PDB file of all heavy atoms in Angstrom:
ATOM      1  N   ASN R 147      51.585-106.770  20.196  1.00  0.00           N
ATOM      2  CA  ASN R 147      52.783-105.957  20.419  1.00  0.00           C
ATOM      3  C   ASN R 147      53.293-106.079  21.843  1.00  0.00           C
ATOM      4  O   ASN R 147      52.588-106.622  22.694  1.00  0.00           O
ATOM      5  CB  ASN R 147      52.431-104.487  20.127  1.00  0.00           C
ATOM      6  CG  ASN R 147      52.708-104.144  18.671  1.00  0.00           C
ATOM      7  OD1 ASN R 147      53.733-104.533  18.116  1.00  0.00           O
ATOM      8  ND2 ASN R 147      51.796-103.401  18.051  1.00  0.00           N
ATOM      9  N   ALA R 149      55.906-106.389  19.186  1.00  0.00           N
ATOM     10  CA  ALA R 149      56.267-107.614  18.471  1.00  0.00           C
ATOM     11  C   ALA R 149      57.763-107.931  18.574  1.00  0.00           C
ATOM     12  O   ALA R 149      58.151-109.102  18.608  1.00  0.00           O
ATOM     13  CB  ALA R 149      55.831-107.497  17.014  1.00  0.00           C
ATOM     14  N   ILE R 168      54.539-110.921  13.116  1.00  0.00           N
ATOM     15  CA  ILE R 168      54.387-110.056  11.943  1.00  0.00           C
ATOM     16  C   ILE R 168      53.907-108.658  12.343  1.00  0.00           C
ATOM     17  O   ILE R 168      53.426-108.444  13.451  1.00  0.00           O
ATOM     18  CB  ILE R 168      53.376-110.644  10.926  1.00  0.00           C
ATOM     19  CG1 ILE R 168      52.135-111.177  11.646  1.00  0.00           C
ATOM     20  CG2 ILE R 168      54.030-111.700  10.071  1.00  0.00           C
ATOM     21  CD1 ILE R 168      51.039-111.610  10.715  1.00  0.00           C
ATOM     22  N   CYS R 169      54.020-107.742  11.397  1.00  0.00           N
ATOM     23  CA  CYS R 169      53.644-106.347  11.635  1.00  0.00           C
ATOM     24  C   CYS R 169      53.042-105.762  10.364  1.00  0.00           C
ATOM     25  O   CYS R 169      53.460-106.101   9.258  1.00  0.00           O
ATOM     26  CB  CYS R 169      54.886-105.557  12.028  1.00  0.00           C
ATOM     27  SG  CYS R 169      54.615-103.780  12.142  1.00  0.00           S
ATOM     28  N   ASP R 170      52.089-104.859  10.557  1.00  0.00           N
ATOM     29  CA  ASP R 170      51.437-104.258   9.376  1.00  0.00           C
ATOM     30  C   ASP R 170      52.018-102.902   8.985  1.00  0.00           C
ATOM     31  O   ASP R 170      51.557-102.290   8.029  1.00  0.00           O
ATOM     32  CB  ASP R 170      49.936-104.107   9.629  1.00  0.00           C
ATOM     33  CG  ASP R 170      49.635-103.059  10.694  1.00  0.00           C
ATOM     34  OD1 ASP R 170      50.573-102.551  11.340  1.00  0.00           O
ATOM     35  OD2 ASP R 170      48.452-102.752  10.883  1.00  0.00           O
ATOM     36  N   MET R 171      53.016-102.418   9.728  1.00  0.00           N
ATOM     37  CA  MET R 171      53.504-101.064   9.413  1.00  0.00           C
ATOM     38  C   MET R 171      54.202-101.012   8.050  1.00  0.00           C
ATOM     39  O   MET R 171      53.877-100.137   7.230  1.00  0.00           O
ATOM     40  CB  MET R 171      54.442-100.566  10.528  1.00  0.00           C
ATOM     41  CG  MET R 171      54.664 -99.067  10.499  1.00  0.00           C
ATOM     42  SD  MET R 171      53.190 -98.131  10.950  1.00  0.00           S
ATOM     43  CE  MET R 171      52.789 -97.302   9.450  1.00  0.00           C
ATOM     44  N   PRO R 172      55.141-101.943   7.751  1.00  0.00           N
ATOM     45  CA  PRO R 172      55.734-101.916   6.406  1.00  0.00           C
ATOM     46  C   PRO R 172      54.676-102.057   5.313  1.00  0.00           C
ATOM     47  O   PRO R 172      54.727-101.362   4.295  1.00  0.00           O
ATOM     48  CB  PRO R 172      56.689-103.111   6.408  1.00  0.00           C
ATOM     49  CG  PRO R 172      57.029-103.329   7.843  1.00  0.00           C
ATOM     50  CD  PRO R 172      55.774-102.974   8.608  1.00  0.00           C
ATOM     51  N   ASN R 200      61.741-105.014  14.375  1.00  0.00           N
ATOM     52  CA  ASN R 200      60.359-104.571  14.236  1.00  0.00           C
ATOM     53  C   ASN R 200      60.220-103.110  14.684  1.00  0.00           C
ATOM     54  O   ASN R 200      60.790-102.700  15.688  1.00  0.00           O
ATOM     55  CB  ASN R 200      59.421-105.455  15.051  1.00  0.00           C
ATOM     56  CG  ASN R 200      57.983-104.991  14.949  1.00  0.00           C
ATOM     57  OD1 ASN R 200      57.349-104.671  15.947  1.00  0.00           O
ATOM     58  ND2 ASN R 200      57.460-104.922  13.746  1.00  0.00           N
ATOM     59  N   HIS R 201      59.470-102.335  13.909  1.00  0.00           N
ATOM     60  CA  HIS R 201      59.297-100.891  14.135  1.00  0.00           C
ATOM     61  C   HIS R 201      60.655-100.182  14.118  1.00  0.00           C
ATOM     62  O   HIS R 201      60.854 -99.202  14.864  1.00  0.00           O
ATOM     63  CB  HIS R 201      58.542-100.613  15.449  1.00  0.00           C
ATOM     64  CG  HIS R 201      57.088-101.015  15.367  1.00  0.00           C
ATOM     65  ND1 HIS R 201      56.194-100.784  16.379  1.00  0.00           N
ATOM     66  CD2 HIS R 201      56.373-101.629  14.378  1.00  0.00           C
ATOM     67  CE1 HIS R 201      54.998-101.232  16.029  1.00  0.00           C
ATOM     68  NE2 HIS R 201      55.080-101.758  14.819  1.00  0.00           N
ATOM     69  N   TYR R 264      58.383 -95.494  12.355  1.00  0.00           N
ATOM     70  CA  TYR R 264      58.678 -95.569  13.791  1.00  0.00           C
ATOM     71  C   TYR R 264      60.070 -95.044  14.148  1.00  0.00           C
ATOM     72  O   TYR R 264      60.333 -94.766  15.327  1.00  0.00           O
ATOM     73  CB  TYR R 264      58.516 -97.011  14.299  1.00  0.00           C
ATOM     74  CG  TYR R 264      57.079 -97.353  14.633  1.00  0.00           C
ATOM     75  CD1 TYR R 264      56.239 -97.929  13.696  1.00  0.00           C
ATOM     76  CD2 TYR R 264      56.556 -97.066  15.890  1.00  0.00           C
ATOM     77  CE1 TYR R 264      54.916 -98.224  13.996  1.00  0.00           C
ATOM     78  CE2 TYR R 264      55.237 -97.360  16.205  1.00  0.00           C
ATOM     79  CZ  TYR R 264      54.422 -97.933  15.256  1.00  0.00           C
ATOM     80  OH  TYR R 264      53.116 -98.216  15.561  1.00  0.00           O
TER      81      TYR R 264
HETATM   82 MN1  LIG X 503      53.558-103.159  14.142  1.00  0.00          MN
END
Side-chain angles (χ1 to χ4, degrees):
N147 269 317
I168 44 173
C169 172
D170 68 352
M171 197 69 246
N200 179 239
H201 290 184
Y264 277 92

